Amino acid sequence: MADKIATREAYGNALAELGEINKDIVVLDADLAEATKTCIFKKKFPERFIDCGIAENNMFSVAAGLSTCGKIPFASTFAMFAAGRSFDQVRNSIGYPHLNVKICATHAGISVGEDGATHQCNEDIALMRTIPGMVVINPSDGVEARAAVMAAVEYQGPVYIRFGRLALPIINDNEGYKFEIGKAIKMAEGTDVTIVANGMMVAEALEARKMLAEEGISASVINAHTVKPLDADTIVNDAKRTGAVVVSEEHNIIGGLCSAVAEAIGESYPVPVVRHGVEDVFGKSGPAKELIEYYGLNAKGIVEKAKKAISLKK
Amino acid sequence: MENDKILALQKTALEIRLGIVEAVYNAKSGHPGGALSSADILACLYFSELNIDVNNPKWENRDRFVMSKGHSCPGLYSALALKGFFPAEELKSFRHTGALLQGHPDMKAISGVDMSAGSLGQGFSCACGMALAAKLNGKDYRTYALVGDGESQEGQVWEAIMFAAHYKLDNLCLIIDNNGLQIDGRVSDVMNTMPYESKLEAFGWNVITIDGHNIEEILCAFESAKKVKGKPTAIVAKTIKGKGVSFMEDQASWHGKAPNEEQYNQAMAELTAYKNSLGGNN
C-alpha cells in the first residue's frame, strides 16, 4: 500500500494542478491557507489567491460574486466555519442562485484531534445536504480527493467537499478506479450485510469486512463518496441481497450519510439500517488516532454495528 | 448640470415610486418604506449612471448593481420594468404564487438582477466579489451596491468594507440608504450605527455625504466616486423612509406593510399629482 496522505494535502495539490490548466480558477481562504493547503496554489499563483482574513461570511459571498463574473472560485476554511458559521451565506449567496462555487472544507470530523470540540465538525454533511442543488462529497483517500476536485470543476453548480487533517492510506489505487459524482463504488461483494461508508471510514469498512469474514459473516462494502445526490440504487440493490445495512461515517449519526441511507432504504426496501458514527456527542481534544479509538470510529465499531444490523433481520 | 436632465430624473423617480406602491398594494405584502427612500438613487443609477444594455442583461462588461437590502426590491423591479427588462405588468403580480417577481431579488429568474439578495449583508459582499473580478480580469466596469442603515448592523457588512479597502476596490461604490428607521424603530434607538463618515474613513474608504433625494447631489457623488483611485467610495445618503407618500414618510411601521385600497388610492394620487406638478416635457 502506498504512503499515507491527508485528503487536505491531496486537495491542495489538486488545486495547484488545476491552476495550470484552468485560468478561471481563483482560490479564497480565511487565514487558514497553511492548514487547508491552499497555500500550495497560493505559492504558484499568488495573483489568483485571495485571502479574506478571518471573515468567512464575507468570503463565501465574495466567492458568489466572483462566480458571476467568469471565475470558478474554490473557497476554503475549516468545515466548522464553512458549513456552520457561514451556512446562511452558502445557502443564500451560493445555493439559492445555484452559483458555480466549490466549497472545499478541511479539518472535518473528530480526526481534527487536539483542537477539540469547537473545531471538530460532525455536522457539516447534515447541513450541506439540506441545501437544494448542493452536491456533497466526502472522499476516502488522496486519490479520490483529487478525483473529486477534478470532477467538481467540470460540474456546473455548487459543490461541497470535505477533507480531513489526518493522513490516510491510499485505497483507490486500483487501475479500474473511476470517480463519478453521484455514483457509489462497490468495493467488495457480500451476502449477509451491506456496509456503506465514506471518507476515512471506507478503509475501516474494508478492515471490518475481513474481521467479519473470520466469523463467517459475508459483508459487502460500498463507498458512497457522494452523499448528495446519493446513489440510492446501488445501495438499495445491495440491501435487497443482504437484508441488513450498516452505515459508517466520521460524522454525527444524525443527519449525514447514515440518515441519507436510512431515508433511501426506508422509502424503497425497508430493512434494518444501523448507524455507526459519532453518537450525538461533542468531540474532545486528543491525538487523532487515540480519539478514533475512543469514539469507536474504527473497524471494530463497524463490526459491532454490522452484527446488530444482522440481528435485527426479520 | 442641465435642469432638463434633473427634471427628467425626478419624474423617473416618481414613476419608480408609482411602481413600488402598485407592486406592494397588489401583493398585499412587501416593503414600501425602504424602496421609496431609495427611489431617487435608483432613478439616477438606472437612468444615468449604469452602463448596461437592456438587450444584453448578461453583457460581461456591464456595470453591476446589487440591491443588498433585498427587501427593497419593489424599487429595483420598478426601475427594471421602466427600463424595459420585463413588462411592467409583472409588477402587479409581485409576490404572487408562480409569478416572476419574487419577494426578494432572484437573479436566476429575473432579467436585470445581478445578484440574489435578502439575507442582509450578503449582497454587498457579492458586489465586492464582482468588483474584484473586474480587477482580476482587467475590465473597467463599475459595481454599485445599496445597503440599508439597519442592514449595516450586520457584521458581514464591515467584513466587506475591510475587504474592499484592503483590495483597493476603487471600482466599487457603496451607497448607504440612511433613512434612520428599521423595523423596531429608529436605528439610533435600536442599535446606533452613526456616524458613518468617520467609521468608513477609518476603514480606508473615501466618503461622500449627500441628501439622498437630491438628484444633482446623487449624480455629483457618482462622478466624484469615479475620480478617486486606490480606495473605494461610500455615498452616505440621508433619506426619508417612505419618501413621496405623505402618510408613510419617516414611519417605521411602513417598513414591511402593504397599503389598503384607500391608502393605495391616496398614495397613487399624491405621486401622480406631484409628477404632474413638475411640468416640462412628459
Side-chain angles (χ1 to χ4, degrees):
Chain A
M1 206 174 276
D3 273 342
K4 291 185 174 194
I5 182 172
T7 52
R8 61 167 169 152
E9 187 90 36
Y11 163 59
N13 292 330
L15 266 188
E17 195 188 326
L18 265 181
E20 287 286 355
I21 52 181
N22 191 323
K23 297 301 165 202
D24 294 331
I25 286 173
V26 292
V27 175
L28 298 94
D29 207 301
D31 192 43
L32 287 170
E34 294 298 319
T36 62
K37 300 304 173 191
T38 60
C39 55
I40 303 170
F41 180 96
K42 176 183 174 180
K43 193 153 180 213
K44 275 184 98 172
F45 309 103
E47 71 291 349
R48 289 154 62 191
F49 176 83
I50 302 138
D51 209 320
C52 298
I54 311 172
E56 296 80 6
N57 294 345
N58 178 60
M59 177 174 77
F60 287 107
S61 299
V62 164
L66 284 163
S67 77
T68 66
C69 301
K71 297 301 189 195
I72 305 176
F74 278 76
S76 289
T77 177
F78 290 175
M80 187 67 253
F81 316 130
R85 183 186 212 97
S86 298
F87 178 79
D88 187 347
Q89 285 72 15
V90 170
R91 179 203 190 270
N92 283 314
S93 291
I94 297 170
Y96 172 48
H98 199 73
L99 293 177
N100 198 32
V101 175
K102 317 301 170 182
I103 303 128
C104 291
T106 70
H107 294 65
I110 287 288
S111 55
V112 165
E114 292 85 344
D115 274 354
T118 58
H119 287 58
Q120 288 160 323
C121 183
N122 296 313
E123 306 85 17
D124 56 321
I125 304 288
L127 289 165
M128 294 292 98
R129 183 164 95 82
T130 62
I131 298 175
M134 182 66 70
V135 167
V136 182
I137 303 170
N138 184 7
S140 59
D141 71 357
V143 169
E144 194 152 84
R146 178 187 171 281
V149 170
M150 296 305 163
V153 84
E154 292 304 311
Y155 174 82
Q156 275 301 308
V159 179
Y160 176 83
I161 315 176
R162 59 127 70 164
F163 301 102
R165 178 174 178 251
L166 187 65
L168 301 177
I170 299 289
I171 56 173
N172 294 303
D173 52 355
N174 48 311
E175 229 182 85
Y177 174 78
K178 186 168 172 267
F179 179 92
E180 205 183 309
I181 291 176
K183 280 217 74 61
I185 300 173
K186 178 80 72 78
M187 307 285 279
E189 297 287 352
T191 51
D192 298 322
V193 64
T194 303
I195 307 174
V196 185
N198 65 16
M200 126 183 150
M201 301 317 295
V202 178
E204 297 297 324
L206 291 168
E207 190 54 41
R209 179 175 182 271
K210 287 188 193 145
M211 290 163 71
L212 286 163
E214 281 161 22
E215 296 189 53
I217 300 171
S218 162
S220 62
V221 175
I222 297 175
N223 171 9
H225 49 66
T226 308
V227 182
K228 181 173 182 175
L230 186 74
D231 184 355
D233 284 348
T234 299
I235 296 167
V236 170
N237 285 336
D238 203 77
K240 283 180 176 165
R241 201 159 149 222
T242 62
V245 181
V246 55
V247 191
S248 178
E249 61 182 325
E250 188 197 353
H251 187 276
N252 196 322
I253 53 173
I254 298 171
L257 179 67
C258 290
S259 297
V261 172
E263 290 157 18
I265 297 282
E267 285 187 341
S268 308
Y269 191 79
V271 294
V273 177
V274 175
R275 300 166 297 161
H276 174 249
V278 177
E279 306 206 337
D280 196 28
V281 289
F282 287 107
K284 282 182 192 304
S285 288
K289 298 221 166 89
E290 289 178 22
L291 291 178
I292 284 163
E293 294 308 305
Y294 177 86
Y295 285 98
L297 291 176
N298 50 23
K300 191 159 151 260
I302 298 175
V303 165
E304 236 176 79
K305 300 292 183 189
K307 287 178 178 172
K308 178 167 180 207
I310 292 168
S311 75
L312 288 168
K313 284 198 218 191
K314 286 216 185 94
Chain B
M1 196 148 302
E2 297 166 32
N3 284 334
D4 279 353
K5 180 173 185 182
I6 294 173
L7 188 62
L9 287 169
Q10 285 171 335
K11 287 185 182 170
T12 301
L14 283 161
E15 291 288 352
I16 290 174
R17 289 187 162 94
L18 285 162
I20 289 167
V21 176
E22 192 73 65
V24 176
Y25 169 66
N26 278 284
K28 297 189 181 22
S29 164
H31 302 77
L36 290 166
S37 62
S38 49
D40 303 288
I41 292 162
L42 285 170
C44 291
L45 279 167
Y46 280 93
F47 293 85
S48 173
E49 184 67 11
L50 294 174
N51 186 21
I52 53 178
D53 178 357
V54 76
N55 295 310
N56 191 0
K58 297 278 178 224
W59 173 38
E60 59 174 36
N61 292 334
R62 72 188 187 280
D63 285 342
R64 270 78 166 163
F65 171 68
V66 179
M67 177 64 95
S68 190
K69 49 177 298 199
H71 55 278
S72 293
C73 60
L76 173 63
Y77 294 159
S78 187
L80 291 174
L82 263 176
K83 197 82 184 160
F85 279 96
F86 48 78
E89 270 306 289
E90 293 287 352
L91 291 172
K92 293 203 172 121
S93 59
F94 171 61
R95 291 185 163 215
H96 286 41
T97 307
L100 174 70
L101 299 180
Q102 295 297 291
H104 288 79
D106 174 4
M107 66 183 289
K108 282 298 178 195
I110 306 167
S111 181
V113 174
D114 286 326
M115 180 50 68
S116 301
S119 188
L120 296 176
Q122 296 183 30
F124 177 47
S125 290
C126 296
C128 291
M130 295 169 182
L132 181 65
K135 294 281 183 193
L136 294 172
N137 290 335
K139 292 196 185 282
D140 58 13
Y141 64 78
R142 288 182 64 74
T143 303
Y144 298 78
L146 185 72
V147 163
D149 51 354
E151 181 180 11
S152 75
Q153 290 160 350
E154 284 285 359
Q156 177 166 2
V157 170
W158 298 91
E159 290 179 14
I161 286 170
M162 253 194 298
F163 177 91
H166 184 85
Y167 284 100
K168 299 183 175 13
L169 301 180
D170 51 17
N171 56 352
L172 175 71
C173 180
L174 164 64
I175 307 142
I176 297 179
D177 184 359
N178 195 20
N179 62 30
L181 291 170
Q182 56 189 128
I183 297 176
D184 285 352
R186 302 219 86 82
V187 173
S188 54
D189 290 333
V190 174
M191 182 54 62
N192 187 34
T193 56
M194 303 274 272
Y196 282 111
E197 291 75 4
S198 48
K199 283 191 177 82
L200 288 160
E201 275 162 11
F203 272 74
W205 280 59
N206 172 51
V207 190
I208 307 170
T209 303
I210 60 166
D211 169 359
H213 300 303
N214 184 312
I215 300 288
E216 194 165 2
E217 286 189 33
I218 298 169
L219 295 174
C220 285
F222 287 150
E223 278 314 299
S224 293
K226 289 201 274 268
K227 298 194 176 105
V228 176
K229 301 299 168 201
K231 47 166 82 168
T233 294
I235 299 172
V236 181
K238 179 125 177 59
T239 58
I240 295 170
K241 195 151 183 163
K243 173 80 172 170
V245 176
S246 63
F247 56 88
M248 290 188 185
E249 289 191 3
D250 203 37
Q251 303 290 319
S253 56
W254 284 101
H255 167 86
K257 189 171 74 175
N260 61 29
E261 190 179 352
E262 196 189 321
Q263 291 162 334
Y264 163 78
N265 288 329
Q266 188 186 340
M268 297 301 270
E270 279 182 15
L271 290 167
T272 305
Y274 189 41
K275 194 181 78 155
N276 292 338
S277 78
L278 285 177
N281 297 322
N282 252 330

